Amino acid sequence: MGKLIRFLLMLALAAALLAGGLYLYAQPQQTLDLNYSDLSIKNKLADMIASRKLEVELTEPEVNNLLKKALAKQSSVRGEVEVTGARFTLNGSEWIADVNLLYQKRWQIGAELMFAVSWQEPYVTVVHTGTRIRQAGIPSEWFRLKPLQVPLNDYMPKLAGVKSIDFLEHGVRLKLGIMLH
């Protein structure tokens, strides 16, 4: 009987150590938030006029703000996981977000989310393709964000609209056209 109790205590201790280790492993490595600044294309119009091209280039921080705004609107995932912070890194049409998550309103988790990006007029659509916590991949059944949609034409002057998009290494180039509605 004493051996069984000792075995059960050792098993409980091992389980507690494993749970504590997993909790420490999953902790966020950096403090992130969902604060963003609204995009103002009007500041870029002077550059567009000077270059005589109907193009606007958005920098990585500007795209980051657009995506954080879209993410803030749907920060809850299945009710038990909430995105509390993010920072996006652009690399062509594959984007990565370092995120802070809150599981069951109690446990903080740091993760890296991978996204595939496409232009489907009138939206830039950002689709979650994978999740990693440090180096460990997480099955998509456990955590999946709904696609983020950013309506870029909402940021354009009234007569201009986005015709096409080029995804650059650290930014996005918008090719504009005159929209007659």
Side-chain angles (χ1 to χ4, degrees), residues 52-93:
R52 296 184 186 153
K53 293 181 181 178
L54 286 176
E55 293 181 349
V56 173
E57 210 164 291
L58 302 180
T59 64
E60 191 168 72
E62 290 169 327
V63 174
N64 192 41
N65 280 320
L66 288 172
L67 294 171
K68 284 172 90 172
K69 181 177 182 178
L71 190 56
K73 290 179 182 176
Q74 66 172 47
S75 62
S76 182
V77 182
R78 285 198 240 166
E80 59 189 22
V81 179
E82 182 180 348
V83 179
T84 60
R87 186 184 69 240
F88 288 83
T89 304
L90 312 183
N91 186 16
S93 63

Side-chain angles (χ1 to χ4, degrees), residues 87-90 94-98 112-115 132:
R87 186 184 69 240
F88 288 83
T89 304
L90 312 183
E94 294 178 357
W95 296 353
I96 296 174
D98 293 312
E112 183 179 70
L113 309 181
M114 284 68 70
F115 295 93
R132 282 194 302 251

Side-chain angles (χ1 to χ4, degrees), residues 63 66-67 70 119 122-126 148-153 155:
V63 174
L66 288 172
L67 294 171
W119 166 246
Y123 300 105
V124 169
T125 302
V126 184
L148 302 173
Q149 291 190 317
V150 180
L152 290 176
N153 285 332
Y155 299 95

Side-chain angles (χ1 to χ4, degrees), residues 41 45 48 54 56 152-163 175-181:
I41 296 290
L45 291 180
M48 190 173 73
L54 286 176
V56 173
L152 290 176
N153 285 332
D154 290 358
Y155 299 95
M156 298 296 131
K158 288 187 181 188
L159 292 177
V162 179
K163 285 190 339 187
K175 294 181 182 172
L176 307 178
I178 304 300
M179 308 301 263
L180 300 174
H181 302 167

